[in-house]
Amino acid sequence: MRQVAEGVLVHESEFVQTNTVVVQGRAGVLLIDPGITGDEMVAIADDLRQLGQPVVAGFSTHPDWDHVLWHAKLGDAPRYGTARCAAYMRDLLSDAGATARIAADLLETEIAGQVPLDLLGLITGLPAGTAQIPWDGPRVRIIEHQAHAPGHAALFIEERGVLVAGDMLSDVLVPMLDDGDLATAIEEYLTALRLLEGVAGDVDVVVPGHGSVGGSDQMQARIDQDRAYVLALRNGQVPADPRVGPSAKPGWEWVSDIHEGQLRRLAQRSERDGAPR
């Protein structure tokens, strides 16, 4: 783990640069999006034990599998999410085969068999409209929106100037739109960017769910880049974005597949609606 601000540490997984955030409080730490492999989560637990900092609360920014993981070594602290995030996970886990399907999908990755799924998604939903995480530590504001996934939330650690962005504001991933209606997903994404822009002037450190931690100079730049991408999709244009194509970061060429899939969705919607491209 490395310190990115006073009392705020980040662990970067070897799997798609997934970031786990640790916020130190009075009696222990808030653990945000822990992952990814069992060994990595055990290492986080061991580091916290050496620091004398037990996990007193967890939070999942959204209900994608890689953000709702947990390990017994991390303890049995309450694990929070927004009400919509928790409801989505309850619905998912009501299907007895859901965890097995996630495990099967992971067989195609380099972490096959390394991700513990027995505690996946056991999230307590905070009441709708909850403004901050209930814990004994720095105020952590919840900025809920519906971009990318149901009940997605960014967390703003106000006293430390740190924004934990979930799966937004990445330097390696383009905006990934929700699987629902494309037009709605685009507008929800633009709304979310406006919400994040509302705190941009107070952010010293931005931590995306995947990718590099950015400084204050990166916050607005990443918002602008994500907005340009989404607006291009809305306007029926092919986005020019350095995160896809020949300019993509080495090892991240697969992001172009996500991009191409979203372009296909756009084309299919245009054909269905009879709208010009």
Side-chain angles (χ1 to χ4, degrees):
M1 293 188 292
R2 69 184 181 96
Q3 183 169 310
V4 298
E6 181 184 352
V8 182
L9 309 171
V10 173
H11 173 272
E12 182 183 291
S13 171
E14 293 183 6
F15 182 71
V16 293
Q17 272 187 268
T18 305
N19 292 313
T20 295
V21 179
V22 173
V23 186
Q24 295 177 323
R26 294 177 181 84
V29 305
L30 168 66
L31 189 60
I32 305 168
D33 292 349
I36 289 291
T37 68
D39 286 347
E40 288 174 329
M41 285 186 273
V42 168
I44 291 171
D46 288 344
D47 287 347
L48 292 175
R49 184 172 59 254
Q50 291 175 13
L51 291 172
Q53 294 278 303
V55 178
V56 296
F59 191 91
S60 291
T61 57
H62 62 289
D64 286 350
W65 72 265
D66 52 332
H67 294 263
V68 292
L69 297 170
W70 200 257
H71 195 285
K73 289 281 190 179
L74 297 171
D76 57 0
R79 299 163 55 191
Y80 299 119
T82 65
R84 288 187 180 186
C85 173
Y88 182 94
M89 288 309 309
R90 283 195 301 272
D91 289 345
L92 178 69
L93 295 175
S94 67
D95 178 352
T99 301
R101 286 194 295 274
I102 293 171
D105 289 341
L106 289 174
L107 290 176
E108 301 178 5
T109 73
E110 68 271 25
I111 56 171
Q114 300 179 49
V115 181
L117 299 176
D118 53 317
L119 298 177
L120 177 134
L122 303 181
I123 304 299
T124 297
L126 295 171
T130 299
Q132 65 186 78
I133 293 178
W135 81 303
D136 189 17
R139 173 181 164 87
V140 181
R141 190 196 311 180
I142 300 169
I143 305 175
E144 183 178 356
H145 53 80
Q146 303 312 312
H148 178 68
H152 195 294
L155 300 179
F156 184 34
I157 308 160
E158 297 179 325
E159 298 172 33
R160 308 293 185 250
V162 177
L163 182 80
V164 182
D167 274 358
M168 298 180 69
L169 307 186
S170 172
D171 61 325
V172 288
L173 287 174
V174 294
M176 295 175 288
L177 302 177
D178 186 71
D179 290 335
D181 176 71
L182 183 61
T184 300
I186 287 173
E187 294 309 315
E188 287 175 340
Y189 215 102
L190 293 171
T191 297
L193 290 173
R194 287 193 291 271
L195 288 173
L196 299 183
E197 198 163 35
V199 300
D202 298 318
V203 172
D204 298 317
V205 179
V206 55
V207 185
H210 306 276
S212 303
V213 174
S216 58
D217 60 326
Q218 284 292 303
M219 179 66 184
Q220 188 64 50
R222 293 189 184 191
I223 291 173
D224 292 343
Q225 187 174 53
D226 279 1
R227 179 182 288 124
Y229 179 93
V230 175
L231 285 174
L233 288 181
R234 187 181 72 176
N235 296 334
Q237 301 167 347
V238 177
D241 195 292
R243 294 169 289 189
V244 296
S247 58
K249 183 177 178 179
W252 290 82
E253 292 82 4
W254 53 271
V255 176
S256 293
D257 295 335
I258 295 173
H259 171 60
E260 293 297 331
Q262 295 187 146
L263 290 180
R264 284 193 297 273
R265 284 179 63 194
L266 177 67
Q268 291 164 0
R269 176 178 178 273
S270 296
E271 291 171 4
R272 184 179 64 250
D273 297 345
R277 289 288 314 275

